[in-house]
């Protein structure tokens, strides 16, 4: 496989450090770290110490050039679509590639489902026992629900929304919910470009694990050790072959080689967690995007997810 | 490139648990659709689903989780059957476990955290709040992996490409075995949206039939009277290995996987591209991947949801792809019997395709009495299976959100 031929020509990022790739990379390079906040719903509980960092505020309608699809988007979908759009614009994907030959390889976290959107239906279905009753959901819960709830709950929607907003029509895969799954998405995109299965791959992920129920689940399952906080983030990269970039006079940002995924028995290790927080499914994409974007980026990135699956890649300078 | 054999298949479905029960029901046109029993649906407009009936034999630890999330039990049982029928291979470092599914299962009470309720009781309680979508894969790895490799395999993938998820999982496993990247792939899907949130969500979208008095005939793909999809639940798993290796080791080869095509509509979230271009490209890509002409295909198992939008668009796409042969290309639509298994649909229907090749029979679409305008195809109608001697069969899975996947299977002569 002509692995050395794969280059990165577009990057998009939305993180707690910055609302764009440039902002995120610059803040990271200058040693910045995010401010996290307590989660109000957990106040007074044994998990009151858990903290979450939101992504930098952004005007999604302005960034996407349209507010048409926003009503369908969960928070993760907004982050993912904005990051994907930035990457696609940077690489000039729309004007350079046949959309049938552009692949989409995405990761999405547990919070791909926008749980807050299910709340009205559930809250209206709570019976005298204090529990959600299916009878009441049929009677009044669904009437209280956002009719578009399913679009915000189904975990493939953030990826599909990227395909719709960017007009991508090629091969695709959407994996969930941890770091290893996004690593697999990045690796599949890289392989698809290297093998010629696609001319261009948009690869990345979004996650927003700040929902209190998800935080409780993460803490109870040992996936969020004490002292660590969660972060909402998304990153997408555009991959293509160096020959294609040269043909179009498009200057690569970095080269990408030796992209691997493997099961392992090591402890989870996220190089971003100290300064940015744990963004789980988004973390491998953010890590790779930072390494590509920074002049001083690491030549090799590696992350072991809470699913005990390791993603690694070799990042070269501009070819 | 290597040829890829299906050496094992396991299934848990509304029409039967296990391969033989599943096939017997499909071949006889016996429906698994009926009134929902998993919860009280009396206040819902939608009251029909294809539910798995009968108890699964599961290890205690799996059974406990399946009590909270039935689809985990379905996945485990289907994987156990698939591996057993393949001669009980162990999952090693060079194995791939790729499962398609849809939605995380939450304890609904735990999601109600507005100001009227005290979240402390949920935080401090011991009730599990959710079952992660990777749970089934982790359990399968724990029980069926090669114990000599410690914790370092196999790699697990959880695919959430909606109705195309498990077809994508099989297609990805096929490509991984064909390229030599993996020596054994256990792939398929598992799902159950038959719960208040799942049924309610789809009810809000108007995608499901509300003709509850139709009972077993609630899902009528391609029929003029069709009124929507009916949800189903279950799981199906395939074991994929290099054909030459499987033969050399004396394993039974059920069929070959010979092609997979995957595309995006990039059109809309709930409605397919009205021209069916994404579906058409998926079928063409699968045929190209298999290296065959459209005329080589002898059977199509359609996505066939029974919705107004899907069926007409899919039929048109099939007619375009198989322009020279569609009038004598038999089309089954097994959702008429199983309901729509969402994340597991592609794998269950892939199973129907490969068993059609094994058995030489095509499952009927028993409720198809009057073909809807625009849905003209060579439908397998009536209640009897039709004899089939073709070499290739194609299975379509077109997902909510515009994800499409088509798989090509080849008969082993």
């Amino acid at each position: 496989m002509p692995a050395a031929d794969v280059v990165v020509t577009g990057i998009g990022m939305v993180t707690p450090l910055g609302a764009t790739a440039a902002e995120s990379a610059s803040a990271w390079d200058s040693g910045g770290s995010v401010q996290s906040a307590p989660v109000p719903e957990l106040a007074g509980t044994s998990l009151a110490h858990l903290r979450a960092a939101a992504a930098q505020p952004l005007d999604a309608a302005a960034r996407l050039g349209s507010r048409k699809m926003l009503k369908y988007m969960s928070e993760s979908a907004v982050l993912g679509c904005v990051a994907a759009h930035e990457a696609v614009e940077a690489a000039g994907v729309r004007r350079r590639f046949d959309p049938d030959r552009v692949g989409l390889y995405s990761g999405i976290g547990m919070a791909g489902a926008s749980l807050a959107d299910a709340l009205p239906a559930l809250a209206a279905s709570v019976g005298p026992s204090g529990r959600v009753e299916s009878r009441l959901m049929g009677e009044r819960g669904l009437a209280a629900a956002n009719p578009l709830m399913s679009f915000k709950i189904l975990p493939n929607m953030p990826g599909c929304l990227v395909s719709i907003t960017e007009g991508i029509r090629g091969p695709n895969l959407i994996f969930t919910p941890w770091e290893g799954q996004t690593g697999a998405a990045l690796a599949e995109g890289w392989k698809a470009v290297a093998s010629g299965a696609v001319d261009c791959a948009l690869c990345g992920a979004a996650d927003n694990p700040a929902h209190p129920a998800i935080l409780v689940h993460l803490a109870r399952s040992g996936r969020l050790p004490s002292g660590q906080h969660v972060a909402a983030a998304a990153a997408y990269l555009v991959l293509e072959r160096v020959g294609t970039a040269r043909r179009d006079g498009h200057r690569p940002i970095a080269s990408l080689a030796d992209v691997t995924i493997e099961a392992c028995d090591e402890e989870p290790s996220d190089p971003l967690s100290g300064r940015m927080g744990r963004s789980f499914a988004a973390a491998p994409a953010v890590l790779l995007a930072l390494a590509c974007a920074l002049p001083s980026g690491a030549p090799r990135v590696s992350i072991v997810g809470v699913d005990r699956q390791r993603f690694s890649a070799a990042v070269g300078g501009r070819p | 490139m290597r040829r890829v054999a299906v050496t094992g298949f396991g299934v848990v479905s509304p029409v039967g648990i296990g391969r033989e029960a599943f096939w017997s029901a499909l071949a006889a046109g016996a429906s698994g659709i009926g009134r929902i029993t998993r919860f009280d649906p009396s206040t819902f407009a939608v009251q029909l689903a294809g539910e798995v009936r009968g108890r699964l034999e599961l290890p205690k630890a799996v059974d406990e989780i399946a009590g909270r999330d039935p689809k985990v039990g379905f996945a485990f049982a289907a994987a156990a059957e698939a591996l057993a029928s393949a001669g009980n291979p162990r999952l090693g470092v060079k194995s791939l476990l790729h499962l398609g599914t849809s939605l995380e299962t939450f304890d609904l009470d735990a999601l109600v955290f507005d100001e009227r309720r005290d979240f402390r009781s949920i935080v401090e309680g011991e009730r599990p709040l959710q079952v992660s979508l990777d749970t089934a894969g982790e359990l399968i790895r724990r029980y069926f992996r090669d114990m000599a490799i410690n914790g370092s395999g196999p790699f697990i993938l959880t695919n959430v490409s909606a109705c195309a998820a498990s077809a994508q999982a099989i297609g990805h496993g096929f490509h991984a075995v064909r390229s030599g990247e993996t020596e054994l792939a256990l792939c398929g899907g598992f799902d159950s949206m038959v719960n208040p949130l799942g049924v309610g969500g789809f009810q809000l979208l108007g995608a499901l039939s509300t003709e509850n008095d139709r009972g077993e005939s609630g899902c009528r793909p391609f029929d003029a009277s069709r009124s929507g999809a009916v949800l189903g639940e279950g799981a199906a798993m395939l074991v994929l290995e290099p054909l030459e290796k499987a033969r050399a080791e004396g394993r039974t080869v059920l069929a070959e996987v010979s092609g997979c095509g995957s595309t995006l509509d990039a059109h809309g979230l709930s409605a397919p591209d009205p021209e069916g271009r994404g579906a058409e490209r998926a079928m063409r890509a699968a045929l190209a991947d298999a290296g065959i002409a459209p005329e080589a295909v002898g059977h199509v198992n359609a996505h066939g949801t029974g919705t107004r939008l899907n069926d007409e668009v899919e039929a048109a796409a099939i007619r375009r792809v198989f322009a020279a042969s569609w009038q004598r290309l038999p089309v089954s639509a097994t959702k008429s019997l199983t309901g729509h298994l969402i994340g597991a649909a592609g794998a269950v229907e892939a199973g129907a395709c490969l068993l059609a090749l094994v058995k030489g029979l095509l499952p009927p679409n028993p409720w198809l009495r009057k073909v809807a305008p625009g849905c003209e195809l060579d439908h397998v109608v009536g209640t009897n299976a039709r004899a089939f001697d073709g070499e290739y069969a194609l299975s379509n899975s077109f997902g909510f959100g515009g994800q499409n996947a088509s798989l090509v299977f080849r008969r082993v002569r």
Side-chain angles (χ1 to χ4, degrees), chain A residues 46 130 132 172 178 191 220, chain B residues 109 117 127 134 168 181:
Chain A
S46 59
V132 173
N172 57 94
W178 308 119
K191 280 190 291 186
R220 280 189 186 174
Chain B
D109 292 305
R117 304 187 77 221
R127 276 169 42 207
D134 60 337
Q168 279 196 352
E181 198 178 305

Side-chain angles (χ1 to χ4, degrees), chain B residues 196-281:
Chain B
L197 200 57
V199 172
F202 278 104
Q203 177 180 310
L204 286 172
L205 294 176
L208 301 181
S209 173
T210 56
E211 289 189 305
N212 301 314
D213 55 350
R214 289 275 192 168
E216 64 176 3
S217 63
C219 181
R220 299 180 301 285
F222 303 110
D223 192 82
S225 73
R226 69 195 190 281
S227 57
V230 173
L231 288 175
E233 61 179 10
M237 303 286 172
L238 282 68
V239 176
L240 308 182
E241 301 180 76
L243 177 67
E244 293 309 317
K245 182 179 173 213
R247 281 182 169 154
E249 294 177 2
R251 277 197 284 290
T252 301
V253 176
L254 298 171
E256 283 182 61
V257 188
S258 51
C260 173
S262 162
T263 65
L264 291 155
D265 278 0
H267 173 75
L269 287 179
S270 62
D273 175 342
E275 304 295 322
R277 286 170 296 197
E280 179 181 345
R281 286 186 292 107

